[in-house]
């Protein structure tokens, strides 16, 4: 019996190049948090490079846990794991509240360890919420994931520094547009392997096109060390501070909610619906990866939604491809020069490719909503309100400015707020107080059941 595409082992070259695509798609998201937090702490350029390399290394380890799995740990789906951006705000707040900036990173690491351990213990209970994710909910959440990521691509397209005078210049936008055009042409006029690595080829060609414009910077490669290992507890032994622990526990809840939504989305795309056991195993991988990450000077890890778009677009569903990407991440953590090669890709070039990747996620959500029964008024209301609530942080970034910082960690995540809204409204309209419209009701169900029925 043929293996499911998720468990398929591809030829070495195809495995490596496809894995590298995943790294290219998520690299900017992994390095941004350590750069922001490191700058807030006041780290030197050398220490900042070390912290970034440590986060790449731990992202690779967490990706191994998620894709290959051990025991009941790991969803065994093509998921890339890395530093969650949801933790940036509370981590910078911890830095600001520290009397001595040198204590900030040990306090953050201690809080992440505790949050990771508690999240690991809570994973099997958290996963039981899957029965509240019928297609009308999962479709809304998948669409929100794509829509929430699109502003990231638009930001990349405008340049590396929002404070620079040339941010959003015609040069940057032209490079982004050319990269997008290259990816589209490759997808339209090529076949087989070349078509599947269209994004990687688009990034390479876009980077080469950027050289005459003076946008491609090879400085990181020239000055990078060949070998470097993230020494355990390089910044000091972890310290445990109650306020910091509470704030990172809130981030962990947000991260677990988003990871659950991501697993449901990816399960739909690879045609292996994520059941309760898969969700629990995936959350264990996320939380264990987070608990172990501070040992090597990394931050909280979570599944990366960016890579769902790559899987949806290329149709390469093998988890071993993503495991190969995890291998590249580990290599980059151990070899700063290798990490710097990805850093050479200009941000506008990443932005052009990101439009295709993130738009593909939103399109997958719309496909799921088509099966959700939108001919029923109840489901239309669920989708309408949950999408509106989820889009608030994108369209009105300061909407929740009057709320406490702890509440804003949750409210500023459109995926989390939209997901919670969709679940609550589905219960309200389709589960509680069933009356004369019972025939139009969609009860909470396992996401996989409707797919199986459709097939």
């Amino acid at each position: 019996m043929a293996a499911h595409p998720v468990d398929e082992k591809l030829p070495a070259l195809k495995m490596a190049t496809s894995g590298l695509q995943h790294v290219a798609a998520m690299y900017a998201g992994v390095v941004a948090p350590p750069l922001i937090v490191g700058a807030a702490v006041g780290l030197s350029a050398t220490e900042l490079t070390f912290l970034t390399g440590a986060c790449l290394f731990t992202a690779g380890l967490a990706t191994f846990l998620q894709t290959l799995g051990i025991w009941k740990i790991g969803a065994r789906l093509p998921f890339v794991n890395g530093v969650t951006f949801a933790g940036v705000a509370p981590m910078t707040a911890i830095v600001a509240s520290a009397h001595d900036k040198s204590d900030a990173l040990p306090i953050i690491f201690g809080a992440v360890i505790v949050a990771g351990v508690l999240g690991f213990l809570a994973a099997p209970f958290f996963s039981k919420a899957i029965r509240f994710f019928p297609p009308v909910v999962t479709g809304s959440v998948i669409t929100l994931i794509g829509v929430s990521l699109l502003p990231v691509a638009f930001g990349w397209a405008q340049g590396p520094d929002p404070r620079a005078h040339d941010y959003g210049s015609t040069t940057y936008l032209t490079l982004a547009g050319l990269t997008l055009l290259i990816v589209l042409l490759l997808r339209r006029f090529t076949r087989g392997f070349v078509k599947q690595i269209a994004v990687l080829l688009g990034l390479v060609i876009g980077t080469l096109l950027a050289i005459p414009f003076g946008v491609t910077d090879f400085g990181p490669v020239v000055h990078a060390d060949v070998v470097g290992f993230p020494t355990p507890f390089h910044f000091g032994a972890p310290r445990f501070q109650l306020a910091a622990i509470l704030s990172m526990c809130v981030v962990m809840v947000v991260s677990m909610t988003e990871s659950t939504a991501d697993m449901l989305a990816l399960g739909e795309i690879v045609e292996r619906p994520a059941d309760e056991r898969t969700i629990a195993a995936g959350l264990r991988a996320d939380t264990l990866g987070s608990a172990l990450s501070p040992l090597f000077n990394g931050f909280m890890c979570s599944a990366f939604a960016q890579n769902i778009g790559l899987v949806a677009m290329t149709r390469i569903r093998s988890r071993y491809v993503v495991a190969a990407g995890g291998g590249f991440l580990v290599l980059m953590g151990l070899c700063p020069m290798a990490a710097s090669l990805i850093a050479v890709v200009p941000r506008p070039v990443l932005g052009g490719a990101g439009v295709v990747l993130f738009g593909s996620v939103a399109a997958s959500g719309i496909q799921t909503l088509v099966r959700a029964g939108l001919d029923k008024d109840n489901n239309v209301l669920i989708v309408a309100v949950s999408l509106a609530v989820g889009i608030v942080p994108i369209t009105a970034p300061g909407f929740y400015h009057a709320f406490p910082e702890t509440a804003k960690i949750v409210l500023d995540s459109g995926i989390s707020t939209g997901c919670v809204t969709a679940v609550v409204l589905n219960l309200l309209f389709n589960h509680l107080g069933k009356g004369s419209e019972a025939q139009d009701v969609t009860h909470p169900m396992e996401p996989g059941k409707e797919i199986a029925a459709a097939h």
Side-chain angles (χ1 to χ4, degrees), residues 389-453:
V389 171
I391 291 172
V392 165
I394 304 171
T395 55
F399 192 80
Y400 299 112
H401 74 277
F403 285 75
E405 289 298 321
T406 305
K408 284 197 288 184
I409 294 172
V410 179
L411 296 173
D412 284 341
S413 169
I415 298 171
S416 295
T417 55
C419 179
V420 171
T421 302
V423 169
V424 171
L425 290 180
N426 181 63
L427 288 173
L428 177 64
F429 282 101
N430 290 336
H431 188 56
L432 302 177
K434 294 172 290 184
S436 57
E437 297 183 47
Q439 68 274 16
D440 293 331
V441 170
T442 304
H443 296 286
M445 55 178 280
E446 294 289 340
K449 291 182 180 176
E450 180 163 329
I451 300 169

Side-chain angles (χ1 to χ4, degrees), residues 178-198:
L178 286 174
T179 304
L180 172 59
L181 180 62
I182 291 165
V183 173
L184 293 175
L185 291 175
L186 287 171
R187 291 287 299 177
R188 174 63 182 85
F189 295 106
T190 62
R191 294 182 179 180
F193 181 54
V194 174
K195 183 175 183 177
Q196 290 175 327
I197 62 167

